[in-house]
Amino acid sequence: MIALTALVLVVAVLVLVCLFALMDQYRTLEEVRDHLGTGDAPRPLTHPVGPIVASEIGLPASLDGAEHAVVLFLSTTCATCATVARSLRGALPDDLHVVVRTPTTGVGAEWCDDVGLRSGTVTLATDDRIADAFGLRVTPAGFVLSHDRIAAAQTVPSPRQLQALLDQRAQLAVGPPPANTAPDADGGRSWITT
Amino acid sequence: MTGVLATAVQLAAAGILLVAAAAKAAAPGRVATTIRSIGLRPAAALHVALVTAEAGAALALVLAPGALATRALVLALGLSFAGAGLLAHSRGTAIACACFGGRDGHPLGLRQVVALPGWVVAALVPAASPLSGGDGLLALTAVATGSGVVLAAPVLGTVRRSRPLVAVAAS
């Protein structure tokens, strides 16, 4: 019996060593990625503070007044955007809306087909109207909209960061603005960084 | 009551030493770097000695807690940890502890000195009711298995964080 217990102890310690070795390998991988600058930590983005009425800038009216929704900006010219789009596998969560920046609707529709997005479920933006309203400078980028205001904005450098953004959207949601909210300085074009 | 408390203290110390030994065995490079950073040579041999001493002390604490050799070994380990902490602190540079291998990025320093009384207690606590050989091994196996289960969650988290990436690309 003692011999058997000793054997189990040896096996348990070996498994422990293997677990630690695995963790050490992944830690080394993270260090290599940090050194090479290929990590996928999202960067916060500056964005306008004022209200954004989705339907007025060409986004679906269903986003108007939404408690929380994520607007994901992708571009037909960005390889990471294609990777992020493919990770959705054509199935968009109810509160995720995708805006594809594209030179023409034809190019945008073709790109959507390539990455598995049904073009009818996304907004193809051929001009800067939507992007300007969000203060967009880089894609892929995600904005959490809550009661017509941007609650958070960040780059989405990988599919898992998109998932992380979707996971935290409810936590980032802000309460509805008070009814007597005064207009923001600069005509609602003040900027903040989340 | 004192006997139960003493057994608990010795089992806890044995568990910590066993996990530390396993972690150090899995990350020889990091531990050797720490040993070299505090000015000790030869790092590879000291690494092997440290792992052996920790694993041996863990076994001894369970199988022969009252033996003079066990007390001396645990006390020596505690003193060496504190000494390494003092050495690192006196150099004024941040040296990764590697106390628990690669996952321990905390700096070596006063933490190890503060822990010294704990090691002294583990070494000197009276062993009123030492476990039998079978029970002791069983307890240590439980500690090792339990540590593995507890560690599995962070490993899964690390694996999830390390999925293939793509770099940010501006449009």
Side-chain angles (χ1 to χ4, degrees):
Chain A
M1 187 62 188
I2 289 182
L4 186 63
T5 310
L7 186 66
V8 173
L9 174 61
V10 170
V11 172
V13 171
L14 281 178
V15 170
L16 209 54
V17 171
C18 290
L19 266 174
F20 278 117
L22 187 64
M23 292 179 78
D24 191 49
Q25 290 301 308
Y26 275 108
R27 188 167 171 223
T28 303
L29 182 63
E30 282 180 345
E31 286 172 356
V32 170
R33 282 175 170 167
D34 285 346
H35 185 71
L36 295 175
T38 57
D40 76 334
R43 283 184 292 125
L45 297 173
T46 55
H47 59 80
V49 180
I52 293 177
V53 182
S55 58
E56 288 181 1
I57 56 172
L59 288 171
S62 60
L63 294 174
D64 288 349
E67 189 179 351
H68 47 76
V70 174
V71 179
L72 175 66
F73 283 90
L74 302 176
S75 167
T76 55
T77 60
C78 134
T80 307
C81 299
T83 306
V84 171
R86 285 195 181 96
S87 74
L88 292 167
R89 301 174 197 279
L92 301 184
D94 288 342
D95 51 358
L96 172 67
H97 187 74
V98 177
V99 177
V100 177
R101 303 190 70 195
T102 173
T104 66
T105 51
V107 170
E110 189 180 342
W111 186 85
C112 286
D113 288 341
D114 281 349
V115 298
L117 289 176
R118 282 176 294 138
S119 53
T121 61
V122 305
T123 298
L124 298 178
T126 54
D127 57 26
D128 293 334
R129 192 170 158 217
I130 301 175
D132 286 348
F134 282 82
L136 183 73
R137 298 285 180 274
V138 63
T139 55
F143 294 78
V144 178
L145 269 184
S146 178
H147 299 289
D148 295 333
R149 285 174 188 273
I150 298 172
Q154 65 173 59
T155 57
V156 183
S158 69
R160 65 194 172 112
Q161 292 299 348
L162 172 60
Q163 191 55 52
L165 186 66
L166 291 172
D167 289 344
Q168 66 174 322
R169 63 192 180 274
Q171 296 161 20
L172 292 170
V174 296
N180 60 348
T181 303
D184 295 305
D186 193 21
R189 298 293 295 167
S190 325
W191 296 73
I192 61 170
T193 301
T194 51
Chain B
M1 186 63 192
T2 312
V4 174
L5 196 63
T7 306
V9 168
Q10 281 155 353
L11 269 182
I16 291 170
L17 286 170
L18 189 69
V19 170
K24 287 190 179 86
R30 290 184 199 276
V31 179
T33 301
T34 297
I35 292 171
R36 269 193 295 271
S37 299
I38 54 178
L40 300 175
R41 302 284 190 280
L46 285 172
H47 167 247
V48 173
L50 188 56
V51 171
T52 308
E54 285 183 344
L59 270 175
L61 270 171
V62 171
L63 299 179
L68 187 63
T70 304
R71 296 183 192 279
L73 184 56
V74 174
L75 201 55
L77 277 172
L79 285 170
S80 66
F81 297 153
L86 273 179
L87 262 176
H89 184 70
S90 66
R91 291 184 180 228
T93 53
I95 298 171
C97 173
C99 307
F100 291 93
R103 69 190 296 263
D104 189 358
H106 292 102
L108 199 58
L110 293 180
R111 244 173 19 128
Q112 283 66 44
V113 181
V114 171
L116 180 59
W119 293 116
V120 173
V121 169
L124 302 182
V125 70
S129 54
L131 299 171
S132 68
D135 287 348
L137 285 179
L138 200 60
L140 211 51
T141 305
V143 167
T145 312
S147 305
V149 170
V150 170
L151 283 169
V155 170
L156 288 176
T158 310
V159 171
R160 188 168 179 267
R161 279 204 313 276
S162 301
R163 282 180 192 158
L165 308 176
V166 280
V168 175
S171 64

